[in-house]
Amino acid sequence: MSAKKVLVVGGTGYLGQHLLQGFSEIPGIIPYDLAFTYNSFPPQPLLDAFPGSLAFHVDLKTGAGFHSISQQFGQPDVVVNCAALSVPRACEKDPDAATSINVPASLVNWLSSFTQNDNTLLVHLSTDQVYEGVKSFYKEEDEALPVNVYGKSKVAAERFIAEKWTNFAILRSSIIFGPQTVSPVPKSLPIQWIDGVLSKGDRVEFFYDEYRCPVYVKDVVAVIRALIEKWLLESKKMQLLLNVGGPDRVSRVQMAEAVAQIRGHDSSLIKPVSASSVDRGVMSPADISMDITKLVQTLNISPTPFKDGVKLTLAAEASL
């Protein structure tokens, strides 16, 4: 089989870098040519780490930069869109920016310029924050009723893709955690942050009444690779919506307790507080845990239990 072209949009972000690493390290049954887009983050460390890949500067708000991908890389067989303005408070402050980045209009318009555009699969990262958060274990068919601008922009993106594109997989991801990236990302990573604050010996507040299903980053990479291989090998129309979370529903307190237990930190440093006691400048859904039955059945993938993922994350950090 000839090499298939995969474009990772937002390749310098946390998931984007892990995807590039996953494609480079683990040879699959299909060979891939890789390209990625970047915006403000310098691409050189990734080009050094993944020497076969190509980097393109793209502005998702305007679409500037896509033309050079057409010329130098050509039409991709698969696009994985990891790019997003994903800090809820930032989205709340600037709803227009949230919409222009999170709804991939410039990307879809560019893909539509190819004559055989139904030959490209679009894998799009959405979020568990599309759910209202008033019950546990949301299913994909439950109504999307987001409580903040970030969630609303991601619902708008899902609807835009379903309306405008032929072959797609939309992945509603929970908090993604795992080891640091090849080129360290500027944002704090959840497990590393918890480990860092507890290791200082100060009491820290954690919410006991907000629940998510955090997912180990290498599981997200495995899900995306499995979807791509399924689509390329079966050559069937794909229009999928999947919850992508870990198997465990946990609060921030439980996340911190897992880190403390594994690392031997004093668990009395963890001070449980209600999410309502802190003004974060943005509404946050209380329980957006997800049912992942459809994911497990569709791809025969069982995501890593939370504590095991924490152990893997901390072991990777220790080896750096």
Side-chain angles (χ1 to χ4, degrees), residues 160-176:
F160 179 82
I161 290 164
E163 198 178 291
K164 303 279 186 188
W165 204 242
T166 312
N167 288 295
F168 59 84
I170 293 167
L171 310 181
R172 289 178 173 167
S173 164
S174 185
I175 296 168
I176 298 174

Side-chain angles (χ1 to χ4, degrees), residues 231-246:
W231 186 72
L232 290 172
L233 294 171
E234 292 179 2
S235 300
K236 283 185 200 159
K237 187 174 181 178
M238 182 179 282
Q239 296 189 340
L240 261 182
L241 173 64
L242 292 175
N243 286 339
V244 179

Side-chain angles (χ1 to χ4, degrees), residues 17 20 22 28 60 87 95 116 155-156 193 232 236 248 292:
Q17 289 197 44
L20 293 171
L60 282 179
V87 179
Q116 298 284 316
V155 169
W193 182 83
L232 290 172
K236 283 185 200 159
D248 300 308
I292 56 165

Side-chain angles (χ1 to χ4, degrees), residues 36-318:
F36 64 92
T37 75
Y38 65 97
N39 185 255
S40 54
F41 201 87
Q44 197 54 51
L46 294 181
L47 292 169
D48 295 340
F50 314 120
S53 60
L54 296 172
F56 296 94
H57 184 268
V58 167
D59 182 343
L60 282 179
K61 290 183 184 177
T62 64
F66 280 124
H67 182 62
S68 50
I69 303 179
S70 304
Q71 292 181 310
Q72 294 172 49
F73 189 62
Q75 179 178 355
D77 296 286
V78 178
V79 175
V80 185
N81 183 27
C82 307
L85 186 61
S86 58
V87 179
R89 196 183 302 157
C91 293
E92 216 67 25
K93 282 183 179 167
D94 194 345
D96 291 343
T99 300
S100 63
I101 294 169
N102 292 346
V103 178
S106 64
L107 169 61
V108 169
N109 289 342
W110 169 64
L111 289 174
S112 302
S113 69
F114 295 102
T115 48
Q116 298 284 316
N117 57 46
D118 57 354
N119 290 353
T120 297
L121 173 69
L122 175 56
V123 180
H124 177 79
L125 269 292
S126 189
T127 174
D128 53 2
Q129 293 209 39
V130 300
Y131 297 118
E132 187 178 9
V134 294
K135 63 171 203 164
S136 302
F137 296 113
Y138 280 87
K139 290 184 162 72
E140 289 86 352
E141 57 269 22
D142 286 326
E143 191 177 1
L145 287 169
V147 300
N148 56 37
V149 169
Y150 173 56
K152 287 171 185 167
S153 71
K154 297 299 269 185
V155 169
E158 292 185 3
R159 289 176 180 157
F160 179 82
I161 290 164
E163 198 178 291
K164 303 279 186 188
W165 204 242
T166 312
N167 288 295
F168 59 84
I170 293 167
L171 310 181
R172 289 178 173 167
S173 164
S174 185
I175 296 168
I176 298 174
F177 72 95
Q180 183 56 276
T181 43
V182 168
S183 183
V185 290
K187 69 173 185 175
S188 65
L189 302 176
I191 303 307
Q192 291 84 336
W193 182 83
I194 294 169
D195 184 36
V197 294
L198 293 179
S199 68
K200 289 178 185 158
D202 299 327
R203 280 205 88 191
V204 190
E205 294 181 345
F206 292 93
F207 301 142
Y208 62 77
D209 52 0
E210 273 192 8
Y211 292 91
R212 310 282 290 271
C213 289
V215 60
Y216 187 55
V217 67
K218 298 199 177 184
D219 291 339
V220 184
V221 172
V223 163
I224 293 168
R225 285 200 48 162
L227 277 169
I228 291 171
E229 291 185 356
K230 180 179 172 67
W231 186 72
L232 290 172
L233 294 171
E234 292 179 2
S235 300
K236 283 185 200 159
K237 187 174 181 178
M238 182 179 282
Q239 296 189 340
L240 261 182
L241 173 64
L242 292 175
N243 286 339
V244 179
D248 300 308
R249 170 185 178 267
V250 292
S251 68
R252 305 290 172 142
V253 166
Q254 290 169 314
M255 290 172 70
E257 286 171 345
V259 174
Q261 183 190 350
I262 291 159
R263 294 280 278 129
H265 297 311
D266 180 357
S267 61
S268 70
L269 298 172
I270 299 164
K271 183 184 177 186
V273 297
S274 173
S276 62
S277 68
V278 179
D279 179 9
R280 285 175 279 175
V282 60
M283 282 271 290
S284 193
D287 186 345
I288 44 177
S289 54
M290 297 187 293
D291 183 318
I292 56 165
T293 306
K294 187 177 171 187
L295 171 75
V296 174
Q297 290 178 346
T298 304
L299 297 176
N300 198 24
I301 284 176
S302 295
T304 308
F306 180 67
K307 280 188 181 172
D308 293 345
V310 172
K311 284 178 189 166
L312 289 166
T313 300
L314 295 171
E317 294 297 316

